[in-house]
Amino acid sequence: MSELAPEMKAYLSSEEQGGFCARIAASIDLARRQVFVRQMAIFAWSNQEQVRFKKWFGTTDDMAAARIQQGLICMKSVLEKLRCDDFLPRTAEMGQQLGCIVDEEDGSAVAAVCQSPGSYKIMLSHAFLRLRQYSAAMDSQVSTLIHELAHMPDVLNTRGEGEIYHFHRALALAKSAPERALYNSDNVAGYVMADE
């Protein structure tokens, strides 16, 4: 694992810096394992997996399954490459450097990515550090990583605008608008993370 990026070092308090890279490495590893489990399950495509898939995406269409399967393959590949210095502060200035707009007024946002092909930088707010590392039912650092990676153009290219947040709302989206659920990051995160 690489060192803390200089921009992140300037952004975090000395207390927040302590163990940051180790915590990020652990969250990346947990996310990679979860993605791999779902990747193998969708490959096997059992009746149980089809039920799970339909719950989160509202369909078991072959094209939909192929889209998510390919996205999970790409996501696992990105997770294997992510390093501590790929995590930067979630600020308007950093967004501008990376080529996107970051709304610092949105206090609920814990992370962001710029949707630029080949860019694997993830911007984190201080609130990210206060999230639990892992949860199968609620926001966590691991589900946030999966959510943000799903936005990346060479992963699943999920849309940022009009996005539906939180697992319970993502489940409702799968029932009402399956075509949108396939492009919603929290549907992807829920599919990967949720216990059944």
Side-chain angles (χ1 to χ4, degrees):
M1 175 73 35
S2 61
E3 296 290 319
L4 194 63
E7 299 90 346
M8 203 61 168
K9 192 169 187 177
Y11 180 71
L12 299 175
S13 69
S14 55
E15 183 180 291
E16 290 171 324
Q17 290 176 33
F20 177 84
C21 288
R23 288 192 311 274
I24 285 293
S27 292
I28 290 170
D29 189 53
L30 284 168
R32 186 183 50 76
R33 289 180 197 193
Q34 285 295 122
V35 168
F36 182 70
V37 166
R38 287 279 60 83
Q39 183 186 335
M40 292 297 98
I42 199 171
F43 179 75
W45 205 231
S46 67
N47 287 339
Q48 181 180 357
E49 192 61 22
Q50 290 180 48
V51 168
R52 180 188 182 96
F53 193 91
K54 185 162 187 165
K55 177 179 178 179
W56 287 99
F57 299 110
T59 183
T60 55
D61 177 75
D62 288 344
M63 294 293 285
R67 169 183 160 67
I68 298 302
Q69 183 179 36
Q70 184 58 42
L72 294 180
I73 291 168
C74 295
M75 187 178 291
K76 184 173 174 284
S77 176
V78 172
L79 283 162
E80 288 169 350
K81 297 173 192 168
L82 276 181
R83 301 290 176 257
C84 188
D85 61 0
D86 289 321
F87 294 85
L88 300 166
R90 188 186 170 281
T91 62
E93 185 179 89
M94 182 75 341
Q96 188 175 23
Q97 285 181 31
L98 295 174
C100 65
I101 296 170
V102 173
D103 179 8
E104 286 186 277
E105 301 298 315
D106 183 359
S108 65
V110 297
V113 294
C114 293
Q115 290 182 282
S116 307
S119 175
Y120 303 116
K121 302 296 184 186
I122 300 175
M123 294 176 281
L124 305 176
S125 72
H126 293 282
F128 177 86
L129 302 176
R130 293 188 292 274
L131 288 174
R132 62 193 65 75
Q133 184 178 46
Y134 180 93
S135 172
M138 304 171 79
D139 288 341
S140 68
Q141 291 179 0
V142 174
S143 67
T144 298
L145 289 179
I146 292 167
H147 173 109
E148 295 304 331
L149 291 174
H151 284 310
M152 293 179 175
D154 38 1
V155 176
L156 279 161
N157 200 28
T158 57
R159 299 179 189 101
E161 291 183 29
E163 190 145 69
I164 302 297
Y165 293 95
H166 306 296
F167 290 173
H168 68 281
R169 294 182 65 211
L171 287 169
L173 181 66
K175 289 180 183 175
S176 65
E179 66 288 344
R180 281 187 60 205
L182 284 165
Y183 290 87
N184 193 67
S185 286
D186 264 8
N187 287 79
V188 175
Y191 173 65
V192 170
M193 297 288 299
D195 285 337
E196 300 299 329

